[in-house]
Amino acid sequence: MGHPPLEFSDCYKDSPDFRETLKCYELELDRTSKFLKELIKDGNSVITAIKGYSLAVQKFSQTLSAFQFDFIGDSLTDDEINIAESFQEFAGLLQEVERDRMMLVQNASNLLIRPLEKFRKEQIGATKEKKKKFEKESEKYYSLLDKHLNLSAKKKESQLQEADDLLDRERVNFYESSVEYVYQIHQVQDRKKFDVVEPVLAFLHSILTLNNLTVEMTQDFMPYKQELQLSLQNLFCLQVSTDLFVSFFCCCCFGHTRGFGCIVGQIFLQISQGWENADHGVL
């Protein structure tokens, strides 16, 4: 949104239009200050949420790594070894991702929060101080000017000269405060274009960089995932075969051959469901 130009030469005219233009910039300054306050608050919430998520994932990975599978027998097949080691592999991958995420959290305050707080405190704060000084000098000058206009012509020449000198000094002080205020408004308008945008850009870049690293880790993980899925499918088929053999043996021993067909149907249903889940990476 555009504003009327704020010229230094207008400081010496101090026209009603100049004052109205100042109000436009003051409203913009208040809006920017409120925006930064909200942005800092939301930024801290995002950082806290990322940290909380990361800590929860790290706890999850620790729980995974602490569990050990028990198997029947003294020796394990390659498929059983893959499954036995799977939780440690999962935990290692998660911990590697979360190490990078925690680095992002640790740097987030320096990247985003502190630069925004610094701009709000130093630039916007300085502008508000210049405004106070300008308003104070403006009140002093116009109050003195009003008194000066009402001076009696009957006063001594020395008194009139002293009043003129005092008015000149106050006029100079007023003009100086006006110029300083306008200069500071220009400063904050110019600096916010990069002092506000740059920290947000740096923060987003760090998040996207982490996402890219996660994608790379996922691609590196894919061969192991496919190998583990194959091991799960092999063990699942072995389990189904065992169930089929045990069911057949029990039916033969106890004479329940009629129920064998139902059992076989249930087992093949399990097989079809198992292959369907395997297509989606789940057994």
Side-chain angles (χ1 to χ4, degrees):
M1 182 173 61
H3 294 295
L6 194 59
E7 304 292 347
F8 288 105
S9 58
D10 293 333
C11 297
Y12 302 98
K13 301 175 183 177
D14 197 29
S15 64
D17 288 341
F18 172 71
R19 293 290 180 134
E20 285 298 318
T21 301
L22 278 180
K23 287 183 180 179
C24 292
Y25 284 92
E26 288 165 358
L27 290 173
E28 172 65 18
L29 190 69
D30 289 339
R31 190 178 70 89
T32 301
S33 181
K34 291 177 181 178
F35 162 74
L36 289 176
K37 185 177 181 180
E38 192 72 15
L39 185 63
I40 291 169
K41 177 184 174 182
D42 291 343
N44 278 320
S45 297
V46 170
I47 294 170
T48 301
I50 293 175
K51 183 177 180 180
Y53 169 79
S54 182
L55 291 174
V57 173
Q58 290 179 54
K59 179 63 174 64
F60 177 72
S61 68
Q62 290 170 4
T63 302
L64 283 176
S65 62
F67 182 79
Q68 292 184 347
F69 285 95
D70 290 331
F71 291 90
I72 300 174
D74 297 330
S75 61
L76 301 178
T77 65
D78 290 341
D79 292 330
E80 290 174 329
I81 292 174
N82 283 341
I83 293 174
E85 296 175 348
S86 62
F87 281 2
Q88 281 69 36
E89 290 286 341
F90 298 160
L93 176 65
L94 292 174
Q95 289 168 5
E96 186 177 358
V97 172
E98 295 315 310
R99 277 196 298 269
D100 293 332
R101 198 185 310 277
M102 287 305 294
M103 289 179 60
L104 164 65
V105 171
Q106 292 168 2
N107 294 328
S109 183
N110 292 331
L111 288 174
L112 179 67
I113 304 302
R114 289 180 184 175
L116 295 179
E117 287 179 337
K118 181 180 179 182
F119 178 81
R120 189 167 182 264
K121 180 180 179 181
E122 294 183 0
Q123 293 299 322
I124 295 182
T127 308
K128 290 181 178 180
E129 289 300 318
K130 295 295 184 183
K131 177 185 176 182
K132 290 179 182 179
K133 182 181 178 182
F134 167 72
E135 290 176 341
K136 180 180 178 181
E137 295 295 337
S138 177
E139 183 179 356
K140 286 172 61 177
Y141 170 65
Y142 282 106
S143 176
L144 187 62
L145 180 61
D146 185 60
K147 292 179 181 180
H148 190 274
L149 292 174
N150 292 322
L151 281 177
S152 173
K154 297 179 180 180
K155 286 186 177 292
K156 296 181 180 180
E157 184 65 27
S158 59
Q159 292 177 318
L160 294 174
Q161 184 62 45
E162 183 180 353
D164 288 343
D165 293 342
L166 179 59
L167 182 63
D168 288 341
R169 288 196 298 270
E170 288 301 329
R171 183 186 295 111
V172 170
N173 291 337
F174 167 64
Y175 287 160
E176 285 181 353
S177 67
S178 181
V179 170
E180 289 176 358
Y181 183 35
V182 169
Y183 174 76
Q184 183 59 36
I185 289 176
H186 281 290
Q187 279 286 96
V188 75
Q189 289 293 326
D190 291 338
R191 292 186 64 88
K192 77 176 182 181
K193 296 171 185 176
F194 50 89
D195 281 354
V196 174
V197 175
E198 189 174 28
V200 179
L201 174 62
F203 181 62
L204 290 179
H205 175 73
S206 65
I207 291 178
L208 295 176
T209 299
L210 176 61
N211 290 340
N212 287 335
L213 289 174
T214 304
V215 171
E216 293 176 3
M217 291 179 186
T218 302
Q219 292 173 346
D220 294 339
F221 180 71
M222 287 303 295
Y224 174 77
K225 172 180 176 288
Q226 294 170 354
E227 182 182 354
L228 181 60
Q229 282 182 323
L230 182 60
S231 294
L232 291 170
Q233 292 170 9
N234 291 338
L235 286 183
F236 178 76
C237 291
L238 179 61
Q239 180 63 42
V240 169
S241 299
T242 302
D243 290 345
L244 185 61
F245 173 77
V246 171
S247 299
F248 178 73
F249 179 77
C250 291
C251 289
C252 290
C253 290
F254 297 102
H256 299 302
T257 55
R258 292 182 179 179
F260 180 67
C262 294
I263 295 174
V264 170
Q266 293 177 355
I267 291 174
F268 275 102
L269 178 61
Q270 293 178 7
I271 294 175
S272 63
Q273 291 175 344
W275 285 111
E276 181 179 353
N277 290 334
D279 290 338
H280 294 87
V282 180
L283 281 176

